[in-house]
Amino acid sequence: MPKVTMEKIVSLCKRRGFIFPGSEIYGGLANTWDYGPYGVELKNNLKKIWWKTFIQDREDMVGLDASILMNPKVWEASGHIASFSDPLMDCKKCKERIRGDKLIEERISIEAAVGKTLKQISEIIQKEKLPCPKCGATDFTEARSFNLMFKTHQGVIEEESALVYMRPETAQGIFVNFKNVLNTARKKLPFGIGQIGKAFRNEITPGNFTFRTREFEQMEIEYFFDPAATKWENIFDEWKKQSWNFVNDTLGISKDNLRFRDHEKDELSHYSKGTTDIEYLFPFGWGELCAAAAYRTDFDLTQHQKFSGEDLNYSNPEDLKEKIVPHVIEPSFGTDRIALAVLLDAYNEEEINGEIRVVMKFVPALAPVKVAVLPLVKNKEIITGKAREVFNLLKKKYTTEYDEGGSIGKRYRRQDEIGTPYCVTIDFDTVEKDDSVTIRDRDTTNQERVKVDKLVEYFSSKL
Ligand code: GAP
């Protein structure tokens, strides 16, 4: 069967209501995407599973929901004002603005671009005569640093003092609330704080659908520990495992399409002493899916302590005299990017009775709709009435859809394309003979008859 392509996924997402181009009726706004009826269910399910796995099911984790807009000093302290930038160049002929490192990545290799200084980037592009992606010319300005944070103004006066930034990572909301959480959640080290929320980056080269956008959602954890009590490598390795298990086992992304990649020393973020990503084999090649673990040391808390003047030490409850600034391991997941990998990985084309069907094989927990209830015909009240009864029974427990439009074959195809694990059909036998329905399994297309009063029990072992 042919492999999934980005074009196929973009088209299915639009056709079936997963993801639409942003502001479409106004001609769109480049690289913005809106989640449609099934996309929002998929993304909400992803966030729900993440929250349950990493926050609710663990005694050493608590949650948080911090503001997007923060005091600008946060970004001074965190180093984002000084260091959160990309190497930018302009084509002297057509004025196209490009990211120097991306041009090297695309034209030579990812390895050739990793960790290069501005000067080295300019030199490589000049020496290799790399062409402008728009006009093909080979004459660029020198690479210079471009800060990725979006700026806006708070209040009605657009002056320097009202300048605020849209957060480029959710992590800083966690660090600045460290003391509040410590005082209220009464956790002992090691413990973690997690949150889900939007982040904004004025990316120079957004693209590949929702892979790199300027507005996106993150699911981040800051896991605090005492490096004298536990070696950082142990906690780092444990989080690598947990992150891998989450994307592979829990979300069902095939392990053949996943790999770890350690960051090179000179590629590390300004706060990190070691980072391992999980990469996914996207149709355009291997790309970062999430940061499985990053060792941020005590960098952030120490900086915030310095800039805010607040004491952000942790006291051991058994010995209050002993104070430390905890160190941190950070697993960081991009919600939209993982949703994209889930969509790509679930996509299958199969031949059935000489026809090709497209089927999205989501794990049931991620599927936007769990069960579809389909009356065999729509113009017989006896059938539709019974179907409504079954729908009302199931919708209390599962996201259920009632669908009576079109032939049964067409309705199966539609449910396959949105990845509904089970279709329940109500036919004449249901109402005239056995009070049973036909359940069709999405993946095998096998069908079985189940009594209506056994339906909830049947699905409780499967969904
Ligand atoms: N707090 C650490 C941090 O933000 P990162 O590697 O820059 O680390 C973490 O981002 C994750 O967020 C990435 O692995 C990716 O899943 C997602 N992400 C980052 N930038 C993104 C963008 N422009 N569009 C979509 N997702 C993005």
Side-chain angles (χ1 to χ4, degrees):
M1 273 295 138
K3 276 194 147 185
V4 60
T5 60
M6 290 306 281
E7 291 72 28
K8 282 182 183 177
I9 282 295
V10 173
S11 149
L12 179 126
C13 283
K14 172 92 203 296
R15 188 171 74 245
R16 288 300 184 200
F18 282 96
I19 303 175
F20 307 127
S23 318
E24 199 183 9
I25 61 166
Y26 286 100
L29 174 68
N31 300 295
T32 60
W33 301 98
D34 297 341
Y35 287 79
Y38 297 117
V40 66
E41 292 291 342
L42 178 75
K43 200 158 97 146
N44 282 345
N45 289 340
L46 170 57
K47 290 189 274 185
K48 229 186 292 172
I49 301 170
W50 185 90
W51 195 260
K52 174 129 181 61
T53 306
F54 292 119
I55 311 293
Q56 294 176 329
D57 284 355
R58 296 179 60 132
E59 280 186 52
D60 59 345
M61 293 286 304
V62 289
L64 183 79
D65 184 8
S67 297
I68 287 171
L69 301 178
M70 304 176 78
N71 188 310
K73 275 199 183 151
V74 169
W75 307 112
E76 253 179 77
S78 69
H80 281 81
I81 288 179
S83 313
F84 194 59
S85 50
D86 276 342
L88 198 68
M89 311 173 81
D90 292 331
C91 170
K92 285 188 185 163
K93 189 169 171 217
C94 73
K95 311 291 175 223
E96 177 79 350
R97 187 156 280 187
I98 60 145
R99 246 178 86 173
D101 57 337
K102 286 283 150 206
L103 187 64
I104 298 174
E105 247 181 60
E106 280 155 20
R107 292 285 169 165
I108 305 177
S109 67
I110 292 181
E111 289 72 29
V114 162
K116 296 291 183 293
T117 61
L118 291 172
K119 193 159 173 273
Q120 287 168 325
I121 286 171
S122 296
E123 280 167 5
I124 295 170
I125 289 175
Q126 208 177 1
K127 184 165 159 251
E128 302 294 331
K129 294 203 173 355
L130 301 187
C132 166
K134 195 168 169 204
C135 73
T138 53
D139 195 9
F140 292 97
T141 58
E142 291 293 306
R144 62 194 186 285
S145 193
F146 171 76
N147 196 289
L148 297 182
M149 281 195 294
F150 269 104
K151 289 175 189 155
T152 187
H153 289 88
Q154 181 153 274
V156 289
I157 307 163
E158 282 200 19
E159 56 173 53
E160 215 33 45
S161 62
L163 178 73
V164 285
Y165 298 94
M166 315 275 278
R167 68 180 176 198
E169 60 168 7
T170 62
Q172 295 305 323
I174 297 180
F175 293 122
V176 303
N177 278 291
F178 173 71
K179 203 174 169 190
N180 282 332
V181 174
L182 202 58
N183 290 341
T184 49
R186 302 187 304 129
K187 291 284 171 202
K188 279 202 230 163
L189 289 182
F191 75 93
I193 306 175
Q195 79 166 326
I196 299 176
K198 290 261 184 175
F200 300 82
R201 294 180 190 175
N202 203 359
E203 300 278 7
I204 297 150
T205 53
N208 283 323
F209 198 23
T210 53
F211 178 79
R212 186 177 289 112
T213 49
R214 295 188 170 115
E215 172 185 346
F216 56 97
E217 220 165 357
Q218 290 188 313
M219 306 182 287
E220 296 203 292
I221 293 164
E222 306 306 323
Y223 197 77
F224 300 95
F225 66 99
D226 177 358
T230 326
K231 279 169 86 176
W232 74 265
E233 290 90 343
N234 294 350
I235 298 188
F236 190 91
D237 286 346
E238 184 50 35
W239 273 109
K240 268 175 64 178
K241 257 189 251 154
Q242 301 277 337
S243 298
W244 181 277
N245 290 346
F246 180 71
V247 291
N248 177 217
D249 297 342
T250 312
L251 303 182
I253 298 178
S254 160
K255 66 175 177 359
D256 298 339
N257 292 333
L258 295 170
R259 70 178 187 193
F260 280 123
R261 189 179 75 82
D262 296 331
H263 281 210
E264 303 286 334
K265 261 215 158 63
D266 41 13
E267 170 197 5
L268 290 170
S269 306
H270 60 275
Y271 51 72
S272 175
K273 261 210 168 151
T275 297
T276 301
D277 288 341
I278 295 175
E279 294 191 330
Y280 179 74
L281 187 53
F282 291 92
F284 48 84
W286 287 98
E288 177 183 342
L289 179 65
C290 58
Y295 178 32
R296 291 183 82 128
T297 67
D298 58 354
F299 174 83
D300 299 271
L301 286 182
T302 304
Q303 286 291 98
H304 287 306
Q305 190 159 247
K306 205 157 95 191
F307 279 71
S308 68
E310 285 282 333
D311 177 4
L312 299 181
N313 279 292
Y314 167 88
S315 312
N316 183 347
E318 271 93 54
D319 175 7
L320 288 175
K321 272 189 269 155
E322 196 196 315
K323 284 184 163 194
I324 61 151
V325 176
H327 282 224
V328 167
I329 300 289
E330 175 197 69
S332 174
F333 304 84
T335 317
D336 308 86
R337 200 173 281 183
I338 291 179
L340 174 60
V342 162
L343 283 159
L344 288 161
D345 221 66
Y347 186 95
N348 281 272
E349 286 176 24
E350 293 173 355
E351 198 186 313
I352 294 185
N353 304 330
E355 267 186 46
I356 302 291
R357 74 159 181 161
V358 171
V359 54
M360 300 297 284
K361 294 189 174 175
F362 300 123
V363 292
L366 280 172
V369 176
K370 313 291 185 222
V371 187
V373 175
L374 318 174
L376 188 64
V377 290
K378 71 168 177 189
N379 48 7
K380 288 272 183 286
E381 166 66 25
I382 188 168
I383 302 279
T384 53
K386 185 69 186 177
R388 285 264 168 217
E389 195 187 299
V390 171
F391 171 65
N392 289 334
L393 172 80
L394 293 175
K395 77 171 188 196
K396 281 188 220 146
K397 286 206 81 163
Y398 308 107
T399 316
T400 307
E401 194 170 89
Y402 179 86
D403 184 6
E404 58 178 28
S407 73
I408 195 77
K410 267 205 180 125
R411 281 180 276 166
Y412 281 157
R413 290 297 98 87
R414 186 176 165 275
Q415 295 299 334
D416 286 345
E417 285 203 0
I418 62 168
T420 305
Y422 298 100
C423 287
V424 169
T425 307
I426 287 81
D427 56 22
F428 287 98
D429 278 356
T430 313
V431 287
E432 287 169 358
K433 270 199 191 148
D434 55 6
D435 202 39
S436 296
V437 294
T438 302
I439 299 181
R440 173 186 177 270
D441 181 292
R442 175 194 68 197
D443 298 345
T444 61
T445 70
N446 289 342
Q447 304 194 358
E448 60 179 311
R449 296 286 286 181
V450 175
K451 289 257 181 234
V452 170
D453 64 3
K454 293 271 182 273
L455 270 181
V456 171
E457 189 186 321
Y458 177 90
F459 285 125
S460 68
S461 64
K462 298 186 181 279
L463 293 171

